[in-house]
């Protein structure tokens, strides 16, 4: 397509056109999202470098293990799924 053809093209009436307020809001939302991601990353890095003593580390591990425990029903459903049966 030549440049002259591009100039003569009309914009379809149903094509949405963002106004300046919408563009500014979208840019601000993107900036806020990026700032949130950076904040979370900094928190994780800070948490990673913080030295834990044995008691704190043991307590954190116990909490993690408690969250991973499954009930008998969940274990049964997981086994049925692994075996490919409909229990």
């Amino acid at each position: 397509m030549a440049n002259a053809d591009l100039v003569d093209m009309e914009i379809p009436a149903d094509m949405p056109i963002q106004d300046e307020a919408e563009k500014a809001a979208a840019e601000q939302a993107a900036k806020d999202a990026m700032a949130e991601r950076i904040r979370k990353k900094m928190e994780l890095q800070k948490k990673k470098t913080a030295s834990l003593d044995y008691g704190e580390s043991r307590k954190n591990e116990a909490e993690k293990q408690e969250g991973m425990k499954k009930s008998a029903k969940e274990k049964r459903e997981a086994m049925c799924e692994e075996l490919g049966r409909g229990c």
Side-chain angles (χ1 to χ4, degrees):
M1 237 184 224
N3 287 339
D5 292 338
L6 292 175
V7 173
D8 293 338
M9 292 178 64
E10 293 182 21
I11 297 175
D14 62 340
M15 184 175 192
I17 299 175
Q18 287 186 337
D19 62 351
E20 293 301 318
E22 290 175 345
K23 285 182 184 179
E27 288 176 6
Q28 185 62 35
K31 286 179 184 177
D32 291 344
M34 184 58 74
E36 181 66 20
R37 288 180 62 201
I38 291 171
R39 185 189 62 78
K40 285 181 181 179
K41 185 175 181 178
M42 294 297 287
E43 283 180 10
L44 290 173
Q45 287 178 344
K46 186 177 178 183
K47 193 183 273 189
K48 185 187 249 186
T49 59
S51 62
L52 297 175
D53 64 357
Y54 178 74
E56 290 177 14
S57 178
R58 187 166 184 243
K59 185 179 86 172
N60 290 343
E61 188 63 29
E63 289 175 1
K64 193 187 315 181
Q65 292 292 326
E66 188 66 34
M68 293 173 59
K69 284 188 179 178
K70 295 181 180 179
S71 68
K73 182 179 180 184
E74 290 172 331
K75 288 179 185 177
R76 183 172 186 266
E77 289 175 358
M79 184 174 294
C80 288
E81 187 176 323
E82 288 175 11
L83 296 174
R85 300 185 204 165
C87 298

